[in-house]
Amino acid sequence: GRALMVLVLSGAVSLLGGLIFGYELGIISGALLQLQADFQLSCFKQEVLVSAVLIGALLASLAGGILIDRHGRRRAILVSNLVLLGGSLILTLARAFPVLVIGRMTVGFAISVSSMACCIYVSEMVAAHQRGLLVSLYEAGITVGILLSYALNYIFADMDEGWRYMFGLAIAPAAMQFLSILFLPVNPVKLSSWDSDCQKGLIPLQDTEDKAAAKREPCQEKHYSFLDLFRTRDNMRRRTLVGLGLVLFQQFTGQPNVLGYASKIFHSVGFQSNSSAILASVGLGAVKVVATLVAMALADKAGRRVLLMAGCVVMAISVTTIGLTSRMAPLAMARDCKAAAGPNASHSLTQHPLTPVLPQAAVSPVPPASGAVRSQAGPGFASTRSLTEVFASTQSKEVVPNPSPAQKRDLAGQSKKGALESTGPPLGAAPWAQHTVLNWITLLSMMAFVSAFSIGFGPMTWLVLSEIYPAGIRGRAFAFCNSFNWAANLLISLSFLDLIDAIGFSWMFLLYGLMGVMAVTFIYIFVPETKGQSLEEIDQQFSRKR
């Protein structure tokens, strides 16, 4: 009974950690619509608010590793829950823009620490043959959290100051995770001796070999300095190369940005009303959830290396296809967020953000929903690609201050004709209508990309990172790689539109395809298979190989 309880609670901690991460990344898309009207946010302020989570997460990845290694994984998760509760309360009660920024930075710090500690804690708590499934639950939690945030965005969209409820509801899963982990034993690798609590919590989950290996591990735990990550001792330099390679290729294969144009593709194949566009976005999220469940089932059977390589191959083919089809059926991409929102900006977005009052209203709900789906940089961790770009397209600034009934009729008529001036060419005119088959190929390619990422890079990167480092430096090493993940994410997000201006949309995606081929080569040469091995066996395997 004790063994089963530990197994269930470990899974709950992993799932809830991911759910909180995905929820916080997804909820801002709907909240920003209302915040823009309530606080008269300019483009710059919107970008600051969205980037605040990134900044908090980056700070956490620099400092969180020390917290995780020195004070233990379990305590780090408990602290992150308390910080998240504080951040959520700040956001819920905020009355000024600077308070919102502080709240989002606090939340970003909390979810980043939690994401690292959850993966490491669960990987150390369970047996080798269950590790892939339970650590991958984190990624599944992220996708579920994002879908939940879409649903709540929709529910609270018409409510006055609904954004307060959106931010405040994050308290519930954080409290549940806090209570779940209170019943779990202290992380075994942080114990100086093999005590009875650890035997009751860990040993029943593991077979005879795992028992022997785990029992030896606390006694043999080595101490490492941060600089050992770059030295040849125990082949640490190669482990660092593997970790950094995985997180950087996870970003540079285009996953932060591919879904930024999901709404354009949905509209091009006929999803032109609000409800159908939202349905398509949620459908894309559902595809991601299913793919993540497949990855969970296969992680301990097919193996990490196989799933990483297979996912990379499909991703490379998908983005290359999108690049080629966009050359034949060009998608006219424009910067949507240029003018500042003036004091006379219409508040109709607050009351009816999903009704077609404005010419671009049919577009508005889509980008946040489809864009946020991308999350999935595992713990993270990627989810934040240019959220700014996605959100920017949500609120085109060509807002009619107080439209008269006649103006509304004119605008409604324009929207029916598909004249979405602020975001691109008329949808009913060339080149969109002439390339129906190519547009559907693009849509299917995007769904294949989402599925491949959710099976490969999404969950497997963080699973491998939680396995390949020795216990004494695992927290700092994970945090070091994670900081590169956030930094690369920020770089990709900020440079995306400039690169499109410089080399064009199709060449950008062909470049992503080339990066996918390079990622497959890297994984084939450098990343070993770790399925079915205890953490100590993986450590010994790395120590031996040069």
Side-chain angles (χ1 to χ4, degrees), residues 203 205-216:
I203 290 302
L205 299 179
Q206 303 188 329
D207 56 28
T208 312
E209 292 180 12
D210 282 335
K211 285 183 190 180
K215 197 165 185 174
R216 287 195 306 272

Side-chain angles (χ1 to χ4, degrees), residues 54 251 256-257 374 382-389 486-498:
L54 269 179
Q251 298 297 319
N257 288 322
R374 124 196 87 275
S383 25
T384 338
R385 92 192 186 296
S386 189
L387 289 170
T388 11
E389 262 59 89
W486 285 111
N489 192 306
L490 195 57
L491 174 68
I492 296 274
S493 301
L494 294 176
S495 63
F496 186 54
L497 285 181
D498 292 322

Side-chain angles (χ1 to χ4, degrees), residues 26-49:
I27 201 67
I28 187 67
S29 60
L32 203 62
L33 273 172
Q34 298 187 1
L35 290 169
Q36 180 205 359
D38 288 357
F39 290 87
Q40 283 83 47
L41 299 184
S42 65
C43 271
F44 174 72
K45 285 186 175 180
Q46 291 174 53
E47 290 170 357
V48 168
L49 190 57

Side-chain angles (χ1 to χ4, degrees), residues 457-475:
F457 266 137
M460 295 305 130
T461 298
W462 310 107
L463 176 55
V464 171
L465 277 181
S466 67
E467 294 174 329
I468 63 176
Y469 293 103
I473 198 175
R474 194 171 287 139

Side-chain angles (χ1 to χ4, degrees), residues 160-501:
D160 189 37
E161 293 195 334
W163 56 270
R164 296 189 188 276
Y165 298 97
M166 295 179 195
F167 288 139
L169 283 171
I171 291 172
M176 289 168 64
Q177 189 185 39
F178 187 91
L179 293 174
S180 297
I181 204 166
L182 287 178
F183 294 98
L184 283 169
V186 175
N187 195 329
V189 300
K190 298 309 296 176
L191 296 173
S192 55
S193 61
W194 192 250
D195 69 5
S196 57
D197 184 37
C198 194
Q199 284 183 331
K200 285 186 288 184
L202 176 70
I203 290 302
L205 299 179
Q206 303 188 329
D207 56 28
T208 312
E209 292 180 12
D210 282 335
K211 285 183 190 180
K215 197 165 185 174
R216 287 195 306 272
E217 191 170 327
C219 307
Q220 296 179 354
E221 182 177 322
K222 299 176 184 176
H223 296 282
Y224 296 89
S225 71
F226 178 75
L227 291 178
D228 284 331
L229 285 174
F230 313 102
R231 293 174 180 151
T232 54
R233 176 190 176 189
D234 290 337
N235 214 7
M236 290 297 291
R237 191 183 294 164
R238 180 176 176 237
R239 303 183 205 218
T240 304
L241 174 68
V242 169
L244 286 181
L246 286 175
V247 297
L248 291 176
F249 275 120
Q250 185 190 59
Q251 298 297 319
F252 291 141
T253 46
Q255 85 70 32
N257 288 322
V258 165
L259 289 181
Y261 293 101
S263 58
K264 298 282 183 183
I265 296 169
F266 288 144
H267 282 276
S268 72
V269 296
F271 295 103
Q272 292 184 20
S273 72
N274 288 336
S275 54
S276 64
I278 291 172
L279 188 64
S281 299
V282 172
L284 203 60
V287 167
K288 188 168 180 54
V289 172
V290 172
T292 306
L293 294 176
V294 171
M296 286 169 51
L298 295 178
D300 291 314
K301 295 176 182 175
R304 291 73 156 138
R305 178 181 157 93
V306 171
L307 291 180
L308 277 168
M309 291 179 65
C312 272
V313 168
V314 176
M315 285 167 67
I317 293 171
S318 301
V319 287
T320 302
T321 305
I322 292 174
L324 292 173
T325 54
S326 66
R327 286 188 70 79
M328 293 179 274
L331 300 175
M333 300 293 118
R335 293 174 186 268
D336 295 315
C337 194
K338 290 181 179 177
N344 296 323
S346 170
H347 282 252
S348 63
L349 279 178
T350 311
Q351 278 76 47
H352 305 288
L354 301 179
T355 53
V357 175
L358 308 174
Q360 68 278 10
V363 182
S364 19
V366 193
S370 57
V373 177
R374 124 196 87 275
S375 148
Q376 292 27 338
F381 295 20
S383 25
T384 338
R385 92 192 186 296
S386 189
L387 289 170
T388 11
E389 262 59 89
V390 169
F391 303 147
S393 59
T394 310
Q395 40 268 346
S396 174
K397 298 305 177 297
E398 300 170 22
V399 179
V400 180
N402 288 299
S404 66
Q407 285 174 313
K408 287 184 180 180
R409 283 195 299 274
D410 291 343
L411 294 176
Q414 287 176 352
S415 68
K416 285 176 185 174
K417 293 172 189 172
L420 306 176
E421 292 91 347
S422 66
T423 51
L427 293 178
W432 300 92
Q434 301 170 2
H435 302 289
T436 307
V437 175
L438 290 177
N439 288 333
W440 276 102
I441 291 174
T442 305
L443 177 61
L444 293 173
S445 297
M446 190 174 64
M447 295 179 74
F449 183 93
V450 170
S451 302
F453 182 84
S454 299
I455 287 173
F457 266 137
M460 295 305 130
T461 298
W462 310 107
L463 176 55
V464 171
L465 277 181
S466 67
E467 294 174 329
I468 63 176
Y469 293 103
I473 198 175
R474 194 171 287 139
R476 282 165 291 168
F478 198 108
F480 175 71
C481 293
N482 196 20
S483 65
F484 273 82
N485 180 74
W486 285 111
N489 192 306
L490 195 57
L491 174 68
I492 296 274
S493 301
L494 294 176
S495 63
F496 186 54
L497 285 181
D498 292 322
L499 278 172
I500 284 186
D501 287 344

